[in-house]
Amino acid sequence: MDETANAEQPSVPLGVLLADPALGLTQVAGPAAEDRTVGTVGTTELEDPTPYLVGGEFLLTSGVRLPDDADGIDTYVRRVVAAGVAALGFGVAPVHAEVPPALVRSCDRHGLPLLRLPPATPFVAVGQAAYAAIAASRNRELREISRAQSALASAAARPDALRSVLGQLAAHTGAWSVLYDAQGTELLSAGHRPASPHLLRDLAVRTLRRDAGPTAAAVHDADLGVHLTVHTLPAGDGRTTAATLALGQAAATPPTVVHRQVTGTATVLLALLTSPRHALSTDTHSVGALVLLMLGATPAEVAPALIPGDGSAASGSTAGGPAAGGHWTVVHGRHRDGAPATAGPAQLATLSGLLGTPYVHIDGPALKALVPCAADAGPRVSDRAADLGWVLGYSAPAAAGDLPHADIQAGRALQRALATGTPAVVHTADPLTLHALVAPADARDLARTRFAPLDEAGPPGAPVLLGTLRTWLTLHGSWDRTATALGVHRNTVRHRLARVADLLDLDLQDPGTRMELWFALQWLPGEAAHQHP
């Protein structure tokens, strides 16, 4: 018999009927009643009732046609056990004054619970009690399913939808819930991590390799005492898979009807949340902003349409969005191990949730994102992004018109993170500096004059030389870390800085010179207006 299909049928533990004082039942043989569930109650006086059984019955008899000999009784018990009967109920009187001892011995031998019905208990009363208990149990299950589905729906509407849905799934099933991408990489998880998580990943990978559209797989590992379940989430083409949802559950609490229903709802929500349309946030506001931008509007003009909420920058605070007069944080990222050339929707949806924005672009190992924020709000740095192999650099909050400068800040922060081996670096600006004592116009003139000789440099050109100088100064004159940040050989760094020193006629080993150069770099045209008052 299909155990999964049988488990889906409404049932009640046999112990519930045994505990009902109105029935007066007593167990006289077989395993504990708490280990059996009853799906229906049937009455029979046939010598061989098996053609009329479907399994899961609490079978009642008064023994009218029960064989007289022990061998015949044993054959009767073996037949009903093979037919899947959950328990046998024997009514004493008027045929038998007591339960036949041979029947007791046979039920013990074959592991069939045997319950004695007293003369005052009609068979119909047992059926009524069983169906009332089943109905009450079913109503409890439906209420639990309804509460769980409501919680899942609310979680799906949160800014961190993927993480929230997994959290609710784990809470309502008691299982470790984990989302893998198409390559088997763990994206997000919730709940108590089992001792051997690799078993669940292996099952997920095997299920993904079937490549046969949406599928499910389940394994029970008796040695480790766990139930493993995997559901594939369809990709946009409907024929392949974008990700898998996997659950690891202790054998002591195997999946129930409620668990399966809740998991089914979560699977649908996660499939929607990792679909290309949702992951790329192709909503009407975003599409409209893109159209305006392509037709010549400025970023400052279209940015309000991208702010979560009603599409207006003046709409006030929104869940996960900025306050009125919203700003943006620019994020640059690089994958340590090299990301796929084209990120799938599951990866995009996961990173969107971790960074708190739908505006994420992945190009090979590089990432860029725009995160809506308030003007005075620091970025929400994600530890989980580092777990997925991403090194991140964050800009300071910037108005839409200042995004090009914020982009530079994020790039430099990423360079520092890569050079120092830090998972994430956030750009910060201290207002209590000497810059406040210098007139901006004079500082810009000084910067132009100081670096004018670099305009005469040959290849690789002034921008590359300035970028190398800036990185080298940021990293306190470290050749190796500068080479790592720029992705070049340390000798290339030495050659470029020697060229800078020659053209500017300066000694870069002098701390005072380095300080003056760093001050001037902050005021180069195109940067100062965005960084200083």
Side-chain angles (χ1 to χ4, degrees), residues 429-458:
D430 185 358
L432 300 177
T433 67
L434 292 176
H435 292 288
L437 303 178
V438 181
D442 293 339
R444 282 192 287 270
D445 288 341
L446 172 63
R448 290 191 188 95
T449 302
R450 167 57 72 193
F451 295 110
L454 296 185
D455 293 336
E456 306 300 325

Side-chain angles (χ1 to χ4, degrees), residues 9 79 105 113 147 163 225 284 377 381 415 476 487 499 523:
Q9 299 299 320
R79 285 174 175 171
R105 292 192 298 271
R147 287 194 297 268
R163 185 186 295 277
T284 54
V381 179
Q415 286 183 343
H476 310 292
R499 184 66 175 149
W523 285 102

Side-chain angles (χ1 to χ4, degrees), residues 312-413:
S312 170
S315 62
S317 298
T318 59
H327 282 53
W328 301 81
T329 296
V330 179
V331 183
H332 282 207
R334 182 160 292 274
H335 201 277
R336 288 192 297 266
D337 301 325
T342 302
Q347 293 94 326
L348 280 177
T350 301
L351 286 170
S352 293
L354 295 175
L355 297 175
T357 178
Y359 308 117
V360 179
H361 172 68
I362 297 177
D363 183 11
L367 172 152
K368 287 190 176 183
L370 282 174
V371 183
C373 66
D376 57 351
R380 185 182 70 181
V381 179
S382 170
D383 294 335
R384 183 63 185 138
D387 294 339
L388 294 176
W390 290 99
V391 180
L392 303 176
Y394 294 80
S395 75
D402 297 334
L403 285 177
H405 180 63
D407 188 49
I408 294 173
Q409 290 179 347
R412 294 176 184 170

Side-chain angles (χ1 to χ4, degrees), residues 484-497:
T484 299
L486 297 177
V488 298
H489 195 275
R490 68 193 307 272
N491 288 340
T492 301
V493 175
R494 287 182 176 275
H495 176 76
R496 291 178 182 175
L497 291 177

